[in-house]
């Protein structure tokens, strides 16, 4: 992927450094964003001796004591059907398309969307997808989005 190409260019001597925006998962399992910088280090003969990698997380913009609760990371909170509906919403499918794909009625799709809106405390579908992405629920770098198995009951 993109980082692979950057590291390959560093190791081949085609560049001396790179910086790339990344999304990662911290030791508590929470997703974070930041900047990853790679710098080629050369020995006295000018050969590559190593690569120094610096990961600088973005500052947390949330105020301490904010009343917006966070959902615990990697909590098995979605049924398999909920996960399929969320994947469909994230990929831009309409209610009718989801209903046909999942053999549900339109009301059934809306019911599952409503459940997830309440679980993730999101006001609408776009915010639902954004909240799920911020929690690290989706696979990174794949299309269409898939909910990670650790979030499915």
């Amino acid at each position: 992927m993109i980082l692979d190409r950057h590291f390959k260019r560093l190791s081949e001597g085609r560049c001396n450094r790179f910086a790339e925006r990344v999304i990662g998962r911290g030791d508590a399992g929470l997703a974070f964003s930041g900047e990853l910088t790679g710098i080629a280090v050369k020995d006295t003969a000018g050969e590559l001796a190593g690569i120094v990698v610096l990961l600088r997380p973005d500052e947390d913009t949330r105020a301490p004591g904010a009343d917006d609760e966070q959902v615990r990371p990697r909590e098995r909170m979605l049924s398999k059907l909920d996960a399929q509906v969320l994947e469909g919403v994230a990929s831009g499918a309409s209610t009718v398309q989801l209903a046909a794909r999942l053999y549900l009625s339109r009301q059934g799709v809306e019911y599952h969307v409503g459940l997830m809106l309440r679980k993730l405390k999101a006001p609408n579908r776009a915010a639902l997808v954004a909240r799920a992405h911020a929690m690290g629920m989706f696979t990174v770098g794949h299309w269409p989005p898939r909910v990670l198995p650790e979030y499915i009951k």
Side-chain angles (χ1 to χ4, degrees), residues 14-107:
R14 293 190 287 152
C15 71
N16 292 327
R17 67 180 295 143
F18 73 86
E20 188 73 46
R21 299 284 310 154
V22 295
I23 297 173
R25 202 180 295 252
D27 58 351
L30 294 173
F32 69 91
S33 61
E35 184 175 81
L36 183 115
T37 303
I39 303 167
V41 178
K42 299 188 177 182
D43 60 17
T44 55
E47 297 294 320
L48 181 69
I51 297 173
V52 175
V53 177
L54 172 68
L55 177 59
R56 184 176 302 134
D58 294 334
E59 291 293 323
D60 189 359
T61 56
R62 293 180 55 123
D67 60 351
D68 189 13
E69 293 180 29
Q70 277 189 324
V71 180
R72 293 182 49 83
R74 293 192 178 141
E75 181 179 328
R76 293 186 185 272
M77 60 178 25
L78 301 177
S79 68
K80 180 145 180 66
L81 185 56
D82 287 337
Q84 290 173 324
V85 170
L86 181 58
E87 291 167 356
V89 170
S91 67
S94 70
T95 299
V96 173
Q97 290 170 326
L98 281 172
R101 185 183 313 159
L102 300 174
Y103 304 105
L104 294 173
S105 66
R106 289 189 329 259
Q107 294 84 359

Side-chain angles (χ1 to χ4, degrees), residues 25 73-77 136 147-153:
R25 202 180 295 252
R74 293 192 178 141
E75 181 179 328
R76 293 186 185 272
M77 60 178 25
V147 174
L148 293 168
E150 50 264 28
Y151 290 97
I152 301 172
K153 294 179 192 174

Side-chain angles (χ1 to χ4, degrees), residues 50 119 126 131:
K119 277 183 187 177
R131 178 78 49 114

